Each structure stands twice: as C-alpha cells, then as structure tokens.
Amino acid sequence: MKVLIIGAGTGGLALAHLLKQAGVCIAVYERDFAPSTDSGGYRVGISPAGSRALKACVPGELYDLYVATCARSPRYFNMLTEQLGEVLSFDIDDAGPNTLDGEKNVIRKTLRRVLLRGLEDDVFFGKTLQSYINSADGSVIACFQDGSLATGDVLVGADGTNSTVRKQRLPEARLEDTGIVSVGGKIPMTDATKALLSDKMFQGMSLIMAPMGFGAIIHSLEFAGTRSDPGFIARWPDFVEALDEDSVGWGVWGARQNWPRDPTGLSGEQLRELGLKLTRDWHPHLHALIQMTEPSTIHDIRMRTAVPLTPWASSNVTLLGDAVHTMTPGRGAGANTALRDAALLGRMLVEANQGRKPLVEAIHAYEVEMLRYSTEAIRESKKQMDARDLVHRPIVGRLQLAVTRGVMRIINAVPALKQRAFQQMMRVRGEN
C-alpha cells in the first residue's frame, strides 16, 4: 500500500510516522516551500488525550523530544472576570490518573519541526495540490500545480481549513463564519510582564468572561529550564536554538458587531489601539499587557467553523483534522482532534495493509468514528463563539453573564460539582 498525504501539519505528519513505522509506504506533500516557511510563533494546547494519540503515532525518541520542547505545563485553568476576579479555577494536578504527561503547551512551529524529524525523505515541499483523479485500476493520482503527479492507493487530505481535497471529495461540505473575530499577540516574559499576572495566572491558563460576550485568554510560556538543561543539550543539541523565548500570550474576541471597529485587515498598531479601546474599563494589568505588546506580533483572526456533515459513501480518498472538521478555539480541541484522527486512521490503514480488513471498509470504520467525536467537538467549540448568541446582546447578555458567573462560583465552591465540570471540559478534548 502507498498512502499519499496532502499537508504537513500536525495531523498529517503524525499519521505519516505511524504508517512508516508499520511498513506502509508514504509520501507527504506540502504547499510551503521549506520547513521553516511556517514561522507562526504561537501556542497550541495539547490535552492529555492529544498526547496519548501522538504517542501512539510517533517513535519513542520523537515523543520524548516533543515532551522536552513543550513549555512548563500549566497548573491551573482559571475562569476570571474582566477585573481578574476568580469565578472558577481547576487545579489540573488534581485531575486524576488519566492525565498522562499532563496538559501541554507547545509552539506550533516547534511541534512541526519535531514531527518532520525522521521524515526528511518522505516530505516534499512546494507541492500545492490542484486536484486528484480516481484511476480505473483503483489507484488515485494527485495532480499538483507545478504539473507533477503522484500515484498511490490512498489519498488523505490533511490540508487544513481551505482543503483542496475536501472541496473535490465533499463539495457539499460548508464552512460558516461565526461572526466572532479575535485580536491577539504575545510579549516577552520579563519581571515587568510577570508582575502583571497573579500566581495562578502565571502558573496556568486563564479565560476571561466579559460583558457583551467578549472573552479573552492569557497564558504564560516558559522554556528557560529546558534551554539550560544539560541532558537536553546533550541529547538534542540541534534543538536548543529551536526553543521559543519565554512569553505571555493574550487574545481578545467578540462579536464583530460589538467591536468599536472591525479588526479585519488592520495593521498591528491599529489592532493594538483597538484592543486598548475595547479593554479600557478592564483591569489595568490587562490593559498594560496589550499596551506593552510589540505591534508586529499582533494579528486578527476571523473564526470559522465547519457545518457538521452527514455520513458519505467511503472510498480510498479521506480527510483528517481541519480539512474535515474545522472548529473554533472555544474548547482547545482542534489539534487534539486532528491527533485523534491520525491515530485512528493510521490504525485502520495498517489493518488494511496487513490484510485484516478491506481497504474501503477500514476507511469507513475510521470515518464513522471520526464523525461521531468531531461533531460533538464542533458543537461544543462553537458555544459562546457564535455572534448570534444572546450573550452578545447588550441587556439580555449581561443577565446571562451574571447567571453564568453565579453558577460557576457555586461549582467552584463544591468539589463534586467541580470535578464533574472538569471531566466535561476534558471529554470534549478527547478524555473518556
């Protein structure tokens, strides 16, 4: 069997490793022209379930490198008011035995570099897919914009939200604009920026619930201990310079109609001024974080989500990750769901390669299960990330916010309720 994977992102590379270890012939095609083209220095959160899925895909040495290049694991998950008052706070260390390796924060470009290790001869850059052709002999031919072709037994679209594979394979699949836009940036970790965070904020990840449906996230990333670790330097000397600088990241989002000005297309300086205007009545420390952020690090994001699909007739062309189930960052489930896809699809393709299942039957088994868990993740991730929700309205939104905060404060005070709420949050991110 030969598997063609379109897209060298997190899910596509994890799948490639699993198949290669099992003796399946693979080739990965990436539209970027070089491994370093993706210069995004932003964080991705990997849940314990995401780490388990990744561990099932990659060699042990590579998994160790992934863990070593992650930032210090967050201790707390906090829900705060815009004045930084605590509404609900989970101590992740108390979450129980299922949190293998804990919650992880990793820089996206570093994770990509880790996952490319060992696939140097299998990933082809500068390859933008134009279309694919189903051959009469049952094979599939990938046609690239540079005129080159590749033939395989299976084609996997791991090519992200704007997937070319999806547009041809499932033309009925739709993305919808949630009406939510976000502005975010990051700032170096210094004594001055650290002083703006409470101990729980510094040691964890914090979500802020503000009036008019506005929300924000604050997270701190520390790599200093790893950079000075003699064991890391001796084992992976070529990765010391790849580790990101310690930083504080922030993001603010809300319904487009409630922003003082639509952030779309504004410069970094304009986005910073917009963020300052929006948060002028928030806690001064939040205001200061935005004020101190270099404009070149500030970007806007238009949040889109996939419309959940109904089952389709399976074939030797399939999809994983954002290519089939783009979701908002509302539950931090996107990358984790892609890793879950990679582990499941890889296992099914290995069974087909070993003759234990017919190929299309194996892919169908993957697609049925993937649709089940990804549909829930899409739905949960969209909650409060839809501009049509009542929380984004002036009067009823304030009432809803007050009720939500009140319920969360009760949960925060009752350990049994708190444990149940934490389990619900983690289930969306792949925990049973």
Side-chain angles (χ1 to χ4, degrees), residues 149-209:
L149 306 174
T151 303
D153 301 293
V154 178
L155 186 142
V156 179
D159 48 344
T161 296
N162 297 312
S163 170
T164 300
V165 180
R166 184 190 69 243
K167 289 172 185 175
Q168 182 174 345
R169 179 69 182 86
L170 299 172
E172 71 276 15
R174 294 190 299 111
L175 293 173
E176 65 177 13
D177 189 332
T178 64
I180 302 295
V181 286
S182 174
V183 171
K186 70 174 187 175
I187 184 170
M189 180 80 73
T190 64
D191 289 342
T193 54
K194 186 177 176 180
L196 299 174
L197 309 178
S198 68
D199 183 61
K200 277 191 173 183
M201 291 177 71
F202 174 70
Q203 292 192 57
M205 182 191 314
S206 302
L207 287 179
I208 291 164
M209 305 164 61

Side-chain angles (χ1 to χ4, degrees), residues 79-89 209 401-415 417-418:
M79 301 293 293
L80 309 173
T81 70
E82 76 279 9
Q83 300 302 328
L84 301 186
E86 182 174 301
V87 179
L88 177 60
S89 180
M209 305 164 61
L401 176 63
V403 171
T404 301
R405 286 177 174 178
V407 170
M408 286 188 171
R409 288 188 174 104
I410 292 171
I411 291 171
N412 203 36
V414 181
L417 294 177
K418 197 170 181 178

Side-chain angles (χ1 to χ4, degrees), residues 42-100:
Y42 292 91
R43 152 199 175 275
V44 58
I46 306 295
S47 70
S51 287
R52 284 197 294 274
L54 182 60
K55 192 170 190 176
C57 292
V58 302
E61 167 79 7
L62 204 62
Y63 185 79
D64 290 346
L65 178 57
Y66 150 71
V67 172
T69 53
C70 288
R72 164 186 50 80
S73 292
R75 168 76 187 274
Y76 299 100
F77 182 84
N78 309 302
M79 301 293 293
L80 309 173
T81 70
E82 76 279 9
Q83 300 302 328
L84 301 186
E86 182 174 301
V87 179
L88 177 60
S89 180
F90 297 112
D91 186 333
I92 297 175
D93 284 358
D94 294 338
N98 288 331
T99 53
L100 172 71

Side-chain angles (χ1 to χ4, degrees), residues 333-355:
N336 296 293
T337 310
L339 288 170
R340 190 172 180 179
D341 294 348
L344 175 59
L345 177 58
R347 192 166 68 248
M348 292 297 101
L349 291 177
V350 169
E351 287 191 14
N353 188 55
Q354 295 173 347

Side-chain angles (χ1 to χ4, degrees), residues 143-401:
C143 309
F144 299 98
Q145 288 184 5
D146 62 5
S148 62
L149 306 174
T151 303
D153 301 293
V154 178
L155 186 142
V156 179
D159 48 344
T161 296
N162 297 312
S163 170
T164 300
V165 180
R166 184 190 69 243
K167 289 172 185 175
Q168 182 174 345
R169 179 69 182 86
L170 299 172
E172 71 276 15
R174 294 190 299 111
L175 293 173
E176 65 177 13
D177 189 332
T178 64
I180 302 295
V181 286
S182 174
V183 171
K186 70 174 187 175
I187 184 170
M189 180 80 73
T190 64
D191 289 342
T193 54
K194 186 177 176 180
L196 299 174
L197 309 178
S198 68
D199 183 61
K200 277 191 173 183
M201 291 177 71
F202 174 70
Q203 292 192 57
M205 182 191 314
S206 302
L207 287 179
I208 291 164
M209 305 164 61
M212 293 293 290
F214 281 100
I217 186 170
I218 307 290
H219 51 78
S220 61
L221 302 178
E222 282 194 304
F223 302 89
T226 304
R227 279 195 298 273
S228 60
D229 180 5
F232 183 92
I233 295 169
R235 191 172 178 186
W236 299 292
D238 56 325
F239 263 83
V240 176
E241 49 82 25
L243 294 171
D244 209 61
E245 295 298 315
D246 299 352
S247 63
V248 179
W250 59 269
V252 181
W253 61 84
R256 184 180 285 106
Q257 70 268 18
N258 292 334
W259 283 84
R261 179 183 179 187
D262 189 341
T264 307
L266 299 184
S267 68
E269 182 63 47
Q270 290 172 319
L271 291 173
R272 183 171 67 177
E273 292 306 312
L274 183 60
L276 290 171
K277 185 175 183 179
L278 177 69
T279 61
R280 63 185 178 275
D281 296 326
W282 294 19
H283 195 283
H285 286 186
L286 297 175
H287 208 254
L289 271 180
I290 298 174
Q291 180 66 59
M292 296 165 68
T293 305
E294 169 60 40
S296 63
T297 73
I298 304 177
H299 302 280
D300 65 286
I301 299 173
R302 177 170 61 104
M303 294 191 189
R304 294 184 294 167
T305 185
V307 176
L309 290 159
T310 54
W312 57 86
S314 299
S315 73
N316 61 343
V317 177
T318 191
L319 300 140
L320 66 73
D322 285 348
V324 66
H325 48 60
T326 293
M327 58 192 73
T328 80
R331 294 291 186 270
N336 296 293
T337 310
L339 288 170
R340 190 172 180 179
D341 294 348
L344 175 59
L345 177 58
R347 192 166 68 248
M348 292 297 101
L349 291 177
V350 169
E351 287 191 14
N353 188 55
Q354 295 173 347
R356 291 187 282 150
K357 263 185 185 172
L359 176 59
V360 174
E361 182 181 316
I363 291 174
H364 179 70
Y366 156 72
E367 290 175 343
V368 168
E369 177 63 6
M370 177 271 291
L371 278 176
R372 183 192 65 77
Y373 60 71
S374 67
T375 297
E376 179 186 19
I378 289 170
R379 183 178 63 248
E380 290 294 321
S381 297
K382 191 179 175 183
K383 288 182 177 178
Q384 294 194 2
M385 288 280 180
D386 187 336
R388 296 168 296 185
D389 287 348
L390 294 178
V391 71
H392 300 286
R393 297 184 183 179
I395 299 174
V396 70
R398 286 185 177 274
L399 291 174
Q400 187 170 331
L401 176 63

